[in-house]
Amino acid sequence: MSRPKNQNYKGHGLSKGKEREQRASIRFKTTLVNTLMDVLRHRPGWVEVKDEGEWDFYWCDVSWLRENFDHTYMDEHVRISHFRNHYELTRKNYMVKNLKRFRKQLEREAGKLEAAKCDFFPKTFEMPCEYHLFVEEFRKNPGITWIMKPVARSQGKGIFLFRRLKDIMDWRKGTAGKKLTSLEAPPARSTVNPSGSHDARSSDDQKDEIPVENYVAQRYIENPYLIGGRKFDLRVYVLVMSYIPLRAWLYRDGFARFSNTRFTLSSIDDQYVHLTNVAVQKTSPDYHPKKGCKWMLQRFRQYLASKHGPEAVETLFSDMDNIFVKSLQSVQKVIISDKHCFELYGYDILIDQTLKPWLLEVNASPSLTASSQEDYELKTCLLEDTLHVVDMEARLTGREKRVGGFDLMWNDGPVSREEGAPDLSGMGNFVTNTHLGCVNDRNNQLRQLFRSLQNQKKASS
Amino acid sequence: MLQEESDLSLIIAQIVQKLKGSNLYAQLERQAWGSWEKRILKSLNSMCTELSIPLARKRPVGEQKELLNKWNEMGTDEPDLSLFRPVYAPKDFLEVLINLRNPNYENGDSLSFRTHLGLIQVPLKVKDIPELKEFFVELGLTTGQLGIDDSTQVPPELFENEHVRIGQKVLAEQDSAAAQQYIRQGSPTALRAELWALILNISSQPEDILYYEQLKTNVIQHDLLVDSLIYKDVKLTASNDDYYFVFEDYLYQVLLCFSRDTSVLGHFAYNSASPPKSYIRGKLGLEEYAVFYPPNGVIPFHGFSMYVAPLCFLYHEPSKLYQIFREMYVRFFFRLHSISSHPSGIVSLCLLFETLLQTYLPQLFYHLREIGAQPLRISFKWMVRAFSGYLATDQLLLLWDRILGYNSLEILAVLAAAVFAFRAVNLMEVTSLAAAEAVLADLSTLKVMPLLQIFLFATVT
């Protein structure tokens, strides 16, 4: 990878060992049939290959990855949509381990204050191995609510809230120690989000598991921020092009997913309550599927601004930036950073009443099916811009800070918003280059970008 | 001497004309409204009889308790509303307005260029563009505006920062008149809730909160037929809206109380309508047993709840939200669905819209009329709802800023004309009413302030 000699700015990593060849056509493969298929089919110069044909680009699912990645040779230009061991970030127990370790490291290197920036994940304990640690924490905080989740989530089954140790003693007797048999094998391959869309999980996630059911006990956030009396979480998209060095893009659009039921803590009083009651939307005769129960992030951001003022909103969004960056940094050294790989993550964030954001989970295969016309447009644009950043057509210079709706959030260091300014975080007036929930005039930007790239090419040829 | 005399007689003639006119108009209003009112009441009564539901009844204690418990989540209720119909919809009201005639006005058989080709045949005085330019002078091209000069390309130092500073000062000094002048240039998001409250003279005193609580008690104790109509309207309109569905519960809390608020009757003093009356069972026709029904004298029509929905964006405390809505209603919204000759009344707005179109876009107007797509048939619903549910929320709030600032609804008619002007090219190509409706179906991408500015100040007339 060559660096331009006359500036310190690091390109965002397109291989420049030799001029990247422009391909006549790009052969793509995917098994998904939703917005992704539409986007791929409409991309000029991209041709679909089926079955055993050779491909340049594969948007694969994680089970294929597990089975084939290790014995697939890929030319330098080839791109694939997952990192080999993404589950270090996307499976709760691994994520927690990585984050805890990263936090300790930060505390050693930079002190308690810096380490506290990692406190965006509700206290989580892996079961059964951390059971005793959990009990200690439990005793320190009597009366709070905990949630028990199986690590490879299966459609709400097995998730419950509890407040008394006695409740999980019973559970422990019942299931822990039992081998994972076909009885308890997760029936579905997906988890359901409040909006009803599905993120893909696969049995691959359990392959590395010990046969005993793996669960995590996590502190339940009892004071979520409510709008109209309803609980919601945020879905945000982060595109990682490489881990070493870490290069991540943040998409401006996203949405808030509302649950149809009104939030109340009273229904979990001293009982097992399956989360499906809260997480799954009530199906009512008035429910119109195309309505979607979602707010675009722009609307959410405006709502908060009118209620709390712009400064509070700025703080909240920069706290969210912190979540994205720290979570990626915590797995930076563990994930196999193959140059063929990129990954589009779906982050689930919950805001509490003090306007603190919490990380619920990271999805390696965020749902790409559209629940409404608006949703369809969001996902189509998201995918188009993802493909622009992946840049199979070799059009970008590698120095762009914005491509369509994506802003370069981290480039082996923080990225500043200002044009041409060196990216030094030591500067007092450093503003990060993130625009989550802001205006997304991607069409204009793309037009200008590609026009200027064309001009540059003409000038240099 | 002769000149003075003739001047004098001219003045006298004008005064006489004015007096004559006003009497006629009053007559006209009373006649027209009278028959419309009868129709509405008849519809309500027949629904009552068909469904064997009383107009009002006292709730049994058990039901009262249940409602009290559910007060904050009435949206989760799903009563069977299939047999209820809205009492009327905007298009029914339009038919009434179309048939308004001044019996003393001689149109003559000869058509001249002054002949009005639109649907409204009542010759009220409306402003033309030069007069509108004067009236809306602060919207001019050389004055800074929120909705234009706060866009991302404009550096905030040019206008926005200073404007925000002035807004904060106005709030600090609690100067209602200054706020009204200030808001003509738009309100910053963070200051809007307070500014509107200041202009409307709403301050949450303990007695206001108490008043609201009393209304709430009223709702708990008595069930009105109108309640079901309110439920139905909310479910049909706001709940199906992509953004307002979240506020469903607030809408019930406001509208149910509103229907019992007898202080709203006060607005009928300057409204040419009179509140519908009903009689205690068995005492039909006996004035001593007449009561206003519903207690606030306002029968909700299809889409009524959309007057409240945008306010939920700004106010979250039920009694404050209620007060703001009530004040907005008795100052502005009632004029949109009652017959009067007031310049902000719906009749004048319709006429203003048609006149603007006929005068400044004659080709478009004529074309649409020829294909059976009278423009008013399309724009009427926008104006009746003050564009709520048609524009994006942030644009709607910028529009309502100006309604408050100018204390007039005329801007709705101007905006409607501006929308037609904006889409004129497409509209010239359509050949049916349905196609015209399709061109104008989606207003959610429109930017209100540039449209208004171009139409008023930048179009060659």
Side-chain angles (χ1 to χ4, degrees), chain B residues 116 118-120 350-358 365 376:
Chain B
H116 187 70
L119 294 172
I120 303 293
C350 290
L351 192 58
L352 175 58
F353 165 73
E354 291 191 313
T355 311
L356 284 174
L357 223 55
Q358 189 178 343
F365 190 89
L376 185 58

Side-chain angles (χ1 to χ4, degrees), chain A residues 227-230 258 260-262 264 282-286 288 290-296 299 302-303 305-307 309-310 374 439 441, chain B residues 72-78 152-153 189-191 193 235 239-250 312-314 316 392-394:
Chain A
I227 296 182
R230 295 172 208 231
F258 287 91
N260 215 17
T261 55
R262 310 312 183 255
T264 166
K282 216 163 70 156
T283 48
S284 74
D286 286 331
H288 291 251
K290 74 177 187 70
K291 180 176 71 176
C293 288
K294 289 178 183 174
W295 265 13
M296 296 288 284
R299 187 69 62 234
Q302 276 173 4
Y303 175 87
S306 69
K307 200 170 171 195
E374 191 180 55
V439 165
D441 55 341
Chain B
N72 289 322
E73 43 179 65
M74 283 185 273
T76 51
D77 222 8
E78 271 139 48
T152 43
Q153 291 90 359
T189 315
L191 305 179
K235 288 280 184 210
S239 298
N240 278 333
D241 186 285
D242 279 336
Y243 290 109
Y244 299 129
F245 71 88
V246 166
F247 302 121
E248 191 185 339
D249 297 333
Y250 291 148
C312 296
F313 228 71
L314 301 172
H316 316 97
T393 313
D394 61 321

Side-chain angles (χ1 to χ4, degrees), chain A residues 136-186:
Chain A
E136 207 185 301
E137 183 71 25
F138 184 91
R139 294 223 156 93
K140 270 195 253 169
N141 299 281
I144 66 169
T145 312
W146 293 81
I147 180 168
M148 191 71 85
K149 307 193 220 200
V151 150
R153 208 195 297 197
S154 71
Q155 203 120 20
K157 213 169 181 241
I159 299 181
F160 58 93
L161 305 174
F162 62 94
R163 282 203 189 114
R164 304 177 307 188
L165 267 185
K166 154 177 175 336
D167 295 333
I168 58 169
M169 305 272 201
D170 299 337
W171 165 82
R172 230 183 139 208
K173 276 197 219 108
T175 61
K178 256 202 214 147
K179 291 220 187 251
L180 186 68
T181 61
S182 56
L183 210 77
E184 278 289 347

Side-chain angles (χ1 to χ4, degrees), chain A residues 9 64 273:
Chain A
Y9 187 92
W64 180 93
V273 171

Side-chain angles (χ1 to χ4, degrees), chain B residues 69-200:
Chain B
N69 281 337
K70 263 193 358 229
W71 182 255
N72 289 322
E73 43 179 65
M74 283 185 273
T76 51
D77 222 8
E78 271 139 48
D80 180 11
L81 299 169
S82 51
L83 297 173
F84 290 95
R85 328 169 282 277
V87 179
Y88 67 96
K91 62 174 165 42
D92 304 315
F93 190 51
L94 179 59
E95 292 303 321
V96 174
L97 299 187
I98 292 173
N99 290 310
L100 282 178
R101 295 284 183 278
N102 181 343
N104 275 27
Y105 184 69
E106 180 58 55
N107 215 354
D109 288 320
S110 56
L111 295 169
S112 72
F113 71 93
R114 284 199 183 284
T115 306
H116 187 70
L117 296 172
L119 294 172
I120 303 293
Q121 294 298 325
V122 180
L124 296 169
K125 171 119 183 44
V126 292
K127 295 185 171 79
D128 56 19
I129 285 200
E131 285 167 326
L132 289 169
K133 272 165 125 150
E134 230 185 275
F135 185 69
F136 291 117
V137 66
E138 290 88 352
L139 301 184
L141 296 165
T142 51
T143 315
Q145 299 292 332
L146 288 184
I148 298 175
D149 301 294
D150 54 335
S151 74
T152 43
Q153 291 90 359
V154 180
E157 304 83 60
L158 283 183
F159 167 71
E160 204 183 340
N161 288 349
E162 181 61 15
H163 191 65
V164 173
R165 203 188 58 80
I166 299 177
Q168 286 162 337
K169 192 153 177 278
V170 165
L171 279 175
E173 296 181 13
Q174 286 290 292
D175 187 340
S176 183
Q180 194 172 339
Q181 179 64 33
Y182 168 81
I183 210 175
R184 292 179 179 188
Q185 293 169 268
S187 165
T189 315
L191 305 179
R192 183 175 277 124
E194 286 183 66
L195 278 170
W196 283 22
L198 181 56
I199 296 171
L200 296 168

Side-chain angles (χ1 to χ4, degrees), chain A residues 226-246:
Chain A
L226 302 176
I227 296 182
R230 295 172 208 231
K231 187 172 165 182
F232 64 93
D233 65 7
L234 302 180
R235 164 52 59 92
V236 182
Y237 296 101
V238 175
L239 173 63
V240 175
M241 293 304 294
S242 82
Y243 274 96
I244 300 179
L246 180 58

